[in-house]
Amino acid sequence: MAVEDFDNFSDMVTNYFRNDYRERGKVKWQGFFLSDHVSALKRESKKHEHVTTRMPRMSLNQIKEVLSQANVNYMYVTVQEDFKDTHGNMLMNSTGMISSINHLGFFLDKVYFEYENVRAIKITD
C-alpha cells in the first residue's frame, strides 16, 4: 500500500467519524442491562420501600431463652435491632440460624449481634 493510499484512507476514516457516524447513545447500552441487573434493582427498590413492623421489646432473659431454644433445636430466628432509619422506621429484620452464642451477643449466620442492640427475637418457620 502506497503512502498516498494510506493518507487517502486515513482522510476517509477521519471524514466518516467527523461527519457521517452517529452514536446510538442510550440504545447502545441497553443490551448490558441483563435480567440479573434488573431483578437486583427491583429487590433494592423493594428494600427501601419496605416498612418493618415494630416487635414488642423483650427483656435480655427472654432473648437468651429464645436464642438457646433455637440454637439447640436448629431453628431459624428473626432478629429485630433497636435502630431506626432516617425516616424513623425500624431497620429490616434479619433472619437466619444461630451459629454461636456468647455472653455479649450471638452470631446469626455470619453476622454478629450484641444483646444491647437487639429489640426482639422470634423463632420463624
Side-chain angles (χ1 to χ4, degrees):
M1 190 165 173
V3 173
E4 51 193 54
D5 290 339
F6 181 74
D7 288 337
N8 290 341
F9 179 74
S10 178
D11 291 340
M12 183 176 68
V13 169
T14 303
N15 184 46
Y16 171 75
F17 281 109
R18 280 190 185 150
N19 303 315
D20 299 327
Y21 179 72
R22 300 290 176 248
E23 174 65 45
R24 295 184 298 157
K26 186 177 177 182
V27 174
K28 177 179 177 181
W29 297 102
Q30 284 180 345
F32 289 102
F33 284 102
L34 303 173
S35 62
D36 293 345
H37 295 118
V38 173
S39 63
L41 290 172
K42 287 181 182 177
R43 243 188 343 266
E44 193 66 28
S45 172
K46 283 183 182 179
K47 190 185 293 183
H48 291 293
E49 293 172 3
H50 177 75
V51 177
T52 303
T53 307
R54 184 179 300 223
M55 295 166 55
R57 184 178 305 278
M58 296 173 70
S59 68
L60 179 59
N61 288 336
Q62 291 172 321
I63 291 170
K64 286 183 175 183
E65 188 177 309
V66 172
L67 280 173
S68 63
Q69 180 185 357
N71 191 33
V72 169
N73 295 312
Y74 301 101
M75 303 169 93
Y76 283 88
V77 294
T78 299
V79 176
Q80 184 174 71
E81 290 185 283
D82 205 11
F83 297 126
K84 297 178 183 175
D85 63 10
T86 55
H87 302 291
N89 299 321
M90 300 299 292
L91 295 181
M92 277 186 83
N93 297 338
S94 301
T95 302
M97 289 189 76
I98 305 300
S99 53
S100 70
I101 300 173
N102 64 34
H103 67 284
L104 296 176
F106 59 94
F107 278 93
L108 184 71
D109 294 328
K110 294 181 180 179
V111 180
Y112 185 74
F113 293 89
E114 292 180 351
Y115 292 127
E116 63 186 37
N117 297 330
V118 175
R119 178 182 180 83
I121 185 167
K122 68 178 182 178
I123 295 175
T124 56
D125 298 330

